[in-house]
Amino acid sequence: TLGGTVTLWDVEQKSAARALEGFTSSVWSVRFSPDGKLLAAGSHKNGLGVWEVEGEKWRFAPQPPKTDGESGE
């Protein structure tokens, strides 16, 4: 998604079921775990976030972008 929000869709209802907010930049990669219980999403600026689908909460929330002077190492 280009707006920083990941949208989960109900394909049977053909409508948005849930919007996952927390990213401040575009999300370029998403992947469900094999059992469908977790969703990992990643962005360049916020790193990785892991969403609990049934619990509807972040297990690992996306991190705020680093400011100038902070090292990612």
Side-chain angles (χ1 to χ4, degrees), residues 2-68:
L2 295 177
T5 299
V6 176
T7 304
L8 298 180
W9 290 85
D10 181 327
V11 293
E12 292 178 358
Q13 298 294 322
K14 299 180 183 174
S15 64
R18 181 84 165 120
L20 312 182
E21 298 178 348
F23 289 95
T24 59
S25 65
S26 298
V27 175
W28 292 102
S29 194
V30 294
R31 174 81 180 197
F32 279 100
S33 62
D35 62 8
K37 294 182 178 183
L38 301 173
L39 174 74
S43 82
H44 175 70
K45 290 185 179 180
N46 302 111
L48 180 69
V50 178
W51 180 258
E52 293 182 13
V53 176
E54 291 180 6
E56 295 190 344
K57 64 180 180 179
W58 287 111
R59 181 176 285 188
F60 302 104
Q63 298 300 303
K66 297 198 182 311
T67 60
D68 290 341

